[in-house]
Amino acid sequence: MKSDVDVIIIGAGAAGLAAAIELQSTDLTFLILEARNRVGGRAHTDQNTFGETSIDLGASWIHSYGPNNVLYNYHNTFNIDSHKNQRHGSIICVDYDGKPFTSETFIQARSIYEHLDSYISYNKNDENDQSIEQVIQSEYERLVPSHGPVKRLVDLLLSGCEQYEAGNFVHLSANQWGVGEGTGSDQWVSSGYGKLLEQIADKHNLPIQLNTLVTKIDTTNNERIVITTMNSTSKISCRRVIITIPLGCLKSETILFEPPLPDWKRQAINHMGLGLMNKLILQFPQHFWDTNARSFLHACNERRGRFRSIICLPPPANILILFVSGIFARELEALTDIEILEHIMKFLRQIFSETIIPDPINYKFTRWAQDPLAYGSYSNFAVHSSRHTIEKLARETSNGRVQWAGEHANIDDGTEDWSYGCVHSAFQSGQRAAKNIRDQLCTS
Ligand SMILES: Cc1cc2nc3c(=O)[nH]c(=O)nc-3n(C[C@H](O)[C@H](O)[C@H](O)COP(=O)(O)OP(=O)(O)OC[C@H]3O[C@@H](n4cnc5c(N)ncnc54)[C@H](O)[C@@H]3O)c2cc1C
């Protein structure tokens, strides 16, 4: 084990890889320590479970896709099969029983939704942040019928925002409504977003030590920072450290800091919201849905946004990916695979009631909240958090010797492209952290 380098980077997700690539343009020695047996972190492609089909268990779309996106060029270079595997077809919106909505219902629900959207924007209150749920409650009660298709469709539209944030309106900040979402369209990474990050790591031949869980960072010595890892008697020392571990791990204090982190940093870690999105992936012996469907959006009678959206991968893959988020995702994580499967099959038989649905031949359900190297999916703005919270999450500590990066720590650069919570924002944050170190340690 290398025991003495200029810079240690903790975590080989998008942020850690970007930081390392940036440091390659310097004379500094560096090493990434990664607890998992693979790179990519929350961008991870399963290439085993579903035969020939690669499935992303974490990130799957490059948001704000275009030449301004730091990952655009990589994607164009590596994702050579993208034209073959792009997803085609329409998005089909169905009611709780699988029936389509009428166009009158659409028009009515859309107009209520747009009104609620503007209502939240007009009712931002810098003095007193509230949850989105609190802000819309009275307007929602005034405009939305107590039951029926219009209510279900308004709920479906609202739950799209909840799903995107991987949280629920009861927890999300009304003041941050629409903030930090970037611009432009999304690009599905056909061969896998996790795979793309693997390819990036390989291309740059980065020094990565896998299976290395960092347990302690000691900055008490002014010359060297001492890093302790699990299962190793020897310690690693360095001049600078870049921490890219997920917000969930910071909240759960999986790394011990000596001396402890300053109060402002710990408060920012506590204040920032952490969303949960899970994917329930099922492969069937044959398809039983309309193969013209790229995805289904499903309205429900019970609580807003349960099995809200389903991605369809056509034959020969015959795969459905159900997205679940927020409170519902957390409830499902508490169940066994068999119990989850029962819920899904009951749900599918309800919306595809005129078809015989075979049992799946393969399935996999993610549980990101229970993953001790993530403890959640990605950050969101909880009530009382803001861009200032992200700025604090990103702000250096120990006189600049400790730098912070990750999807939750991408500082607002003032451009309309700015975003947080996603792979390319993590990547940008890693570049920023490494540049700070380069400016400190390199003379030219
Ligand atoms: C289900 C799901 C869907 C998503 N969909 C999208 C999407 O479509 N598009 C998008 O852009 N984003 C999406 N995201 C978010 C995206 O995956 C993350 O924002 C991004 O991957 C985070 O990168 P990161 O480098 O900040 O963190 P990570 O990728 O989590 O990397 C941090 C690394 O640190 C390691 N680590 C943790 N603790 C230690 C320790 N003590 N010692 C050593 N190593 C440690 C972890 O193992 C991990 O590899 C999704 C996430 C999930 C879960």
Side-chain angles (χ1 to χ4, degrees), residues 11 13-15 34-36 41-42 58-61 63 212 214 246 406-407 421-423:
E34 167 56 55
R36 299 184 196 268
R42 282 167 280 170
S60 43
W61 283 276
H63 297 311
T212 307
V214 172
E407 53 84 12
C422 46
V423 178

Side-chain angles (χ1 to χ4, degrees), residues 77-302:
T77 313
F78 295 130
N79 204 37
I80 42 172
D81 62 345
S82 61
H83 61 285
K84 279 192 284 173
N85 292 345
Q86 274 317 302
R87 295 172 52 242
H88 299 290
S90 38
I91 300 172
I92 299 182
C93 193
V94 294
D95 205 348
Y96 73 101
D97 52 2
K99 305 259 168 24
F101 288 100
T102 63
S103 50
E104 292 77 38
T105 303
F106 257 112
I107 292 166
Q108 217 182 325
R110 185 91 224 160
S111 122
I112 295 173
Y113 169 75
E114 280 166 9
H115 171 80
L116 291 173
D117 180 4
S118 333
Y119 187 82
I120 302 165
S121 300
Y122 285 126
N123 284 280
K124 291 187 178 182
N125 177 350
D126 286 344
E127 303 299 311
N128 177 27
D129 193 11
Q130 286 185 299
S131 74
I132 296 173
E133 196 73 41
Q134 279 173 303
V135 168
I136 60 165
Q137 194 177 7
S138 57
E139 231 17 37
Y140 180 93
E141 282 167 8
R142 191 173 74 80
L143 296 172
V144 181
S146 59
H147 60 276
V150 172
K151 176 189 183 321
R152 290 193 293 271
L153 192 49
V154 173
D155 281 349
L156 177 65
L157 294 169
L158 290 173
S159 66
C161 311
E162 293 188 311
Q163 182 178 310
Y164 191 81
E165 301 297 339
N168 297 86
F169 284 171
V170 281
H171 301 127
L172 295 170
S173 158
N175 280 355
Q176 307 308 319
W177 178 250
V179 170
E181 290 175 1
T183 53
S185 59
D186 293 336
Q187 171 74 36
W188 174 264
V189 187
S190 52
S191 52
Y193 211 159
K195 176 87 183 140
L196 179 63
L197 291 195
E198 277 176 32
Q199 288 169 309
I200 293 173
D202 286 348
K203 173 187 157 70
H204 290 277
N205 197 17
L206 300 173
I208 304 172
Q209 190 172 293
L210 298 174
N211 304 308
T212 307
L213 179 77
V214 172
T215 52
K216 185 176 173 189
I217 300 173
D218 187 339
T219 51
T220 43
N221 180 313
N222 286 334
E223 295 301 314
R224 306 295 296 180
I225 299 169
V226 181
I227 311 274
T228 308
T229 62
M230 184 87 110
N231 304 331
S232 170
T233 43
S234 59
K235 298 188 177 183
I236 306 175
S237 83
C238 56
R239 297 163 74 197
R240 298 289 183 271
V241 61
I242 301 177
I243 300 173
T244 79
I245 67 168
L247 179 65
C249 297
L250 295 171
K251 283 181 184 287
S252 300
E253 301 184 11
T254 57
I255 293 182
L256 178 69
F257 290 91
E258 190 61 48
L261 293 176
D263 284 348
W264 57 263
K265 178 70 84 179
R266 283 192 288 139
Q267 276 163 12
I269 291 168
N270 288 337
H271 282 167
M272 196 68 196
L274 178 60
L276 178 61
M277 171 182 284
N278 276 320
K279 293 182 177 178
L280 314 174
I281 307 141
L282 301 101
Q283 184 167 40
F284 293 91
Q286 69 269 352
H287 74 93
F288 51 86
W289 56 91
D290 177 355
T291 45
N292 290 320
R294 175 157 52 117
S295 58
F296 287 95
L297 295 180
H298 166 254
C300 48
N301 262 320
E302 311 96 342

